[in-house]
Amino acid sequence: MAHLNNYRLDIQGLRAVAVVSVVVFHAFPRLVPGGFIGVDIFFVISGFLISSTIYRDVSTNRFSILEFYRRRIRRIFPALFAMLMVVIIVSYFLLSPSAYQEIARNTISSTLFFSNIDFFLSSGYFDRAAELRPLLHTWSLSVEEQFYIVFPVFVFVIHRYMNRLMLLSILVVGSISLALSQVAINYSPTGAYFLTPFRAFELLIGCSIPLIAVPNWLAGSRAARDGLSIAGLTSIAASLFVLSPATPFPGFAALLPTVGAAMIIFAGGSGRTLGGRAISSAPFVALGAVSYSFYLWHWPILSFLRIWTPSIGPTASELVLAVMAALAVATASYWLIERPFAAKATTTFPFLRFGTMGMVTISIAAFAIVALNGIPGRFGPSVLAAFAADQDISPMRGPCHQSDGRRLAYDATCLLSVGDKSEVVVWADSHGAELAAALSELVKDSGIALRQITASSCPPVVSVDFRARPNCRAANEDTLKSVASDPDVDTVLLLMNRSAYYFESEEDLEDGYRQVVDSLRKAGKRIVLIKQIPNMDFEPTGAVAFELMLGRDPTTIGPNVEEVRARFSRWNAFIEDTGTSSGSDYFDPMAVFCNDTICPAYRRDVGVLFFNETHPSMSGARLLASRLIATGEVAPAPTLQTSLSPENSL
């Protein structure tokens, strides 16, 4: 075996590169759009270091699974437990009851190392924004610990029965994991991101390094080692700017940073290298030493800052201060927690008992928070009502809204109200779910049938492939045929959140939307085109709640109306032109949601108008539905009221 672990400055420097990439990305994502790959570098480093120890102990018949987990507890648990307790305490003062319950659940899953599964299962289309979840970063720790439950046993078995095939076995398993990851990013991107089977290949890349014999041409050539290390650094640097959150990941794309990290580690196994020296200076080594604590603390601090500034968001200077604070806390954590525990011998300190008691204690505290419903008595009635607006969603989302790629046949879509006068179809992406429910409430006694056809990230557009929903194109083709040929359908409302489709070209979206309108008009359907519903540029329920907590007026928060109008000017003009040219009605929701200066998140007579940054709440949807009915857009005259002309419907 080669490359057995000794203290290496280049690996400490590589840790620094990894943690700085992640922290800068989380604070200033536009600076390093691929900074998230720092986690993947950590996986490679971890695989290399931990496997080196396992191989050594197994090969000398000194491996003990209990001793292995004592070391893991000594390394991981003390700083993690400290961070979790602080997060629970701070969350008491800042988070809504539902969010506090979520934090408690995340604390339990983080403590027991299944938070990656927890976040995967809770990552629905309308989960809390990632930056507002203070423990989201613990998913990577869970991936590692799950991997190290299986990997030592795997090594022990392979060593005992077919030791010569150790490297081949790891490469085969890693290749299977990589292939599964590449497939999963197309069918379950969230699962591919969070779940261990789709991340294992990154750790296995690190695990393979100690088993690869260093060829003579590399061991004997400093220039070759330098070149390999520089190639590795270049690969990582390219990852930071070539990759972005829009890149399907991990899959094959993750090879760019992980193989780059492996090249640096491999090249440095035979002596210092040019690339290794570039990241081995004192600042790099110092950052590498505190990298674990820096990773643990940076995300909660940034998350709490964003929770504290919900309506305006943190300024650049505040983000810089938050990163500096995280580094200061991390340094204190390293010297006061990590180092003292690392100095304790596993043979004399009861690490297994310490780990077990810590897990039990923190879990009990978290279970209590869940049992007490997030301790709602911390806030007054108006604040609680604002927080609760994040649950003000359509009660029919579960059975009737097509989310996460789920597809309902036309006959299986929901008739929210029934009647014999006419049938109205709301065909939309997720922006139409609450509107359909609100309209059904208002027309249920009028004899109008209302059908909901809504699907997350799948707008009423044909001939376009949507990256987030691979089956959207086929589903829309079928929907268009079904709606056009249904003799009961009289009116179709078309609605989409234009801001959600930044991967698709403007021209393709407009052409596909126009095809839908033309086809429905040829089939004799009446069309109502709904322009863009304003988006909040912040988390509205928390922002309103904070304004109320601080005694300020929540009706004053919301995006500037002119900025909203400018942002969607092209799309709204297209809707207007399409409506005019096709003889369809169109309606502008800004007339409902905006005043002369802002598009407020809250109205005193209605409540919170949006349950998250981009979707109207049921309260907001009822406001829009009432205006649509009042202007006669839902049904032709004289079913409800006289329909206004397109010009008058604005």
Side-chain angles (χ1 to χ4, degrees):
M1 291 184 188
H3 297 278
L4 289 182
N5 175 37
N6 294 305
Y7 183 81
R8 286 175 49 180
L9 295 177
D10 59 339
I11 291 181
Q12 286 292 71
L14 198 56
R15 282 175 166 153
V17 171
V19 76
V20 169
S21 299
V22 171
V23 172
V24 174
F25 171 73
H26 286 158
F28 304 100
R30 293 183 179 179
L31 287 182
V32 280
F36 56 85
I37 57 92
V39 172
D40 308 273
I41 297 173
F42 274 129
F43 284 155
V44 175
I45 296 171
S46 173
F48 170 71
L49 294 175
I50 302 303
S51 69
S52 297
T53 302
I54 293 174
Y55 299 148
R56 181 191 62 209
D57 290 348
V58 168
S59 64
T60 57
N61 295 316
R62 291 189 296 111
F63 181 75
S64 165
I65 195 70
L66 291 180
E67 179 64 17
F68 175 78
Y69 288 123
R70 288 189 188 100
R71 294 173 185 168
R72 293 302 294 165
I73 290 171
R74 180 176 63 182
R75 169 65 176 146
I76 300 297
F77 279 35
L80 174 64
F81 286 168
M83 183 273 293
L84 291 175
M85 291 303 296
V86 170
V87 166
I88 288 177
I89 293 169
V90 175
S91 297
Y92 175 89
F93 299 99
L94 295 181
L95 297 189
S96 70
S98 62
Y100 201 29
Q101 284 183 294
E102 180 186 333
I103 276 291
R105 190 191 72 234
N106 297 156
T107 299
I108 295 168
S109 63
S110 299
T111 302
L112 302 178
F113 296 105
F114 66 91
S115 66
N116 61 324
I117 300 173
D118 182 17
F119 288 120
F120 166 67
L121 294 176
S122 64
S123 293
Y125 192 71
F126 298 111
D127 60 337
R128 283 165 57 80
E131 64 268 19
L132 304 181
R133 307 177 86 171
L135 294 178
L136 182 62
H137 66 315
T138 62
W139 72 269
S140 63
L141 302 181
S142 294
V143 166
E144 280 199 42
E145 296 315 306
Q146 290 163 19
F147 178 83
Y148 291 126
I149 290 173
V150 176
F151 184 73
V153 178
F154 172 83
V155 170
F156 183 82
V157 171
I158 298 297
H159 174 76
R160 183 167 184 176
Y161 295 105
M162 44 183 181
N163 187 43
R164 293 183 179 180
L165 301 179
M166 182 73 75
L167 177 59
L168 178 62
S169 299
I170 287 175
L171 293 176
V172 169
V173 174
S175 297
I176 293 172
S177 171
L178 173 61
L180 290 174
S181 180
Q182 182 62 30
V183 172
I185 59 177
N186 294 313
Y187 291 94
S188 179
T190 305
Y193 191 86
F194 282 119
L195 299 183
T196 303
F198 310 119
R199 290 283 190 168
F201 74 91
E202 299 179 292
L203 288 138
L204 289 169
I205 286 174
C207 295
S208 68
I209 298 173
L211 301 175
I212 301 174
V214 181
N216 292 332
W217 64 266
L218 185 65
S221 172
R222 181 170 180 175
R225 296 197 307 273
D226 286 345
L228 187 62
S229 66
I230 292 299
L233 278 181
T234 302
S235 182
I236 291 173
S239 302
L240 295 176
F241 300 99
V242 173
L243 304 179
S244 75
T247 306
F249 201 86
F252 295 152
L255 293 177
L256 188 61
T258 53
V259 172
M263 287 192 289
I264 294 171
I265 295 172
F266 187 78
S270 300
R272 298 193 69 184
T273 63
L274 181 60
R277 288 195 298 274
I279 56 175
S280 297
S281 63
F284 278 95
V285 173
L287 278 172
V290 302
S291 60
Y292 173 55
S293 282
F294 199 12
Y295 180 78
L296 281 182
W297 287 100
H298 86 280
W299 181 254
I301 289 174
L302 289 171
S303 183
F304 284 132
L305 174 62
R306 289 176 170 125
I307 291 170
W308 180 251
T309 57
S311 62
I312 57 175
T315 63
S317 58
E318 288 171 337
L319 289 168
V320 170
L321 288 174
V323 170
M324 293 173 63
L327 182 57
V329 174
T331 303
S333 173
Y334 173 73
W335 287 104
L336 301 179
I337 299 175
E338 287 191 66
R339 285 290 294 269
F341 274 94
K344 298 180 185 296
T346 58
T347 55
T348 58
F349 187 85
F351 279 104
L352 291 177
R353 192 185 315 159
F354 164 79
T356 302
M357 291 302 298
M359 293 167 75
V360 170
T361 301
I362 292 177
S363 295
I364 289 174
F367 272 119
I369 294 169
V370 174
L372 294 171
N373 297 314
I375 316 178
R378 296 172 290 143
F379 305 110
S382 62
V383 175
L384 289 175
F387 277 135
D390 66 358
Q391 301 301 313
D392 188 20
I393 64 176
S394 167
M396 303 307 294
R397 269 196 175 271
C400 299
H401 180 68
Q402 303 171 59
S403 60
D404 295 330
R406 183 171 66 103
R407 179 177 172 183
L408 294 176
Y410 182 71
D411 291 341
T413 56
C414 291
L415 275 174
L416 301 184
S417 63
V418 296
D420 55 7
K421 292 184 178 179
S422 64
E423 181 175 319
V424 175
V425 171
V426 176
W427 183 8
D429 57 13
S430 57
H431 258 207
E434 277 61 45
L435 177 60
L439 284 170
S440 70
E441 292 175 354
L442 297 177
V443 304
K444 63 182 178 180
D445 297 324
S446 66
I448 297 174
L450 191 139
R451 184 180 297 274
Q452 175 180 342
I453 305 176
T454 60
S456 295
S457 299
C458 185
V461 173
V462 294
S463 304
V464 175
D465 292 309
F466 291 91
R467 182 180 297 183
R469 290 289 181 266
N471 67 355
C472 180
R473 180 170 182 160
N476 281 345
E477 300 287 350
D478 292 344
T479 297
L480 179 57
K481 293 176 184 177
S482 298
V483 173
S485 61
D486 189 341
D488 294 329
V489 173
D490 177 88
T491 301
V492 182
L493 275 69
L494 298 178
L495 170 64
M496 62 182 280
N497 178 21
R498 175 61 191 89
S499 64
Y501 307 105
Y502 39 83
F503 297 132
E504 292 74 29
S505 76
E506 197 95 38
E507 293 76 14
D508 288 346
L509 286 172
E510 292 174 357
D511 184 61
Y513 190 93
R514 191 180 292 109
Q515 289 181 51
V516 169
V517 174
D518 291 343
S519 296
L520 292 176
R521 288 296 290 160
K522 288 178 182 178
K525 310 302 181 185
R526 176 173 177 266
I527 313 297
V528 180
L529 311 178
I530 300 179
K531 294 183 178 183
Q532 177 70 38
I533 293 177
N535 288 339
M536 300 293 100
D537 47 10
F538 53 86
E539 196 279 304
T541 60
V544 171
F546 266 80
E547 294 299 302
L548 292 168
M549 286 169 58
L550 298 174
R552 299 195 294 240
D553 182 6
T555 64
T556 62
I557 59 172
N560 180 275
V561 67
E562 294 303 325
E563 292 178 359
V564 173
R565 186 172 286 117
R567 181 181 179 189
F568 299 110
S569 60
R570 172 170 173 165
W571 180 252
N572 286 339
F574 162 73
I575 293 293
E576 192 167 327
D577 291 343
T578 302
T580 301
S581 62
S582 66
S584 303
D585 288 348
Y586 55 86
F587 184 87
D588 190 354
M590 288 186 68
V592 175
F593 288 108
C594 304
N595 55 39
D596 292 338
T597 56
I598 64 171
C599 299
Y602 177 83
R603 276 179 47 170
R604 296 192 187 280
D605 59 332
V606 178
V608 183
L609 301 179
F610 298 83
F611 70 79
N612 68 9
E613 293 92 329
T614 59
H615 294 83
S617 63
M618 279 301 296
S619 298
R622 290 186 185 103
L623 196 67
L624 177 58
S626 297
R627 185 69 67 88
L628 284 168
I629 289 176
T631 56
E633 300 293 1
V634 170
T639 303
L640 288 173
Q641 294 189 24
T642 302
S643 175
L644 299 182
S645 67
E647 290 78 7
N648 291 333
S649 67
L650 293 178

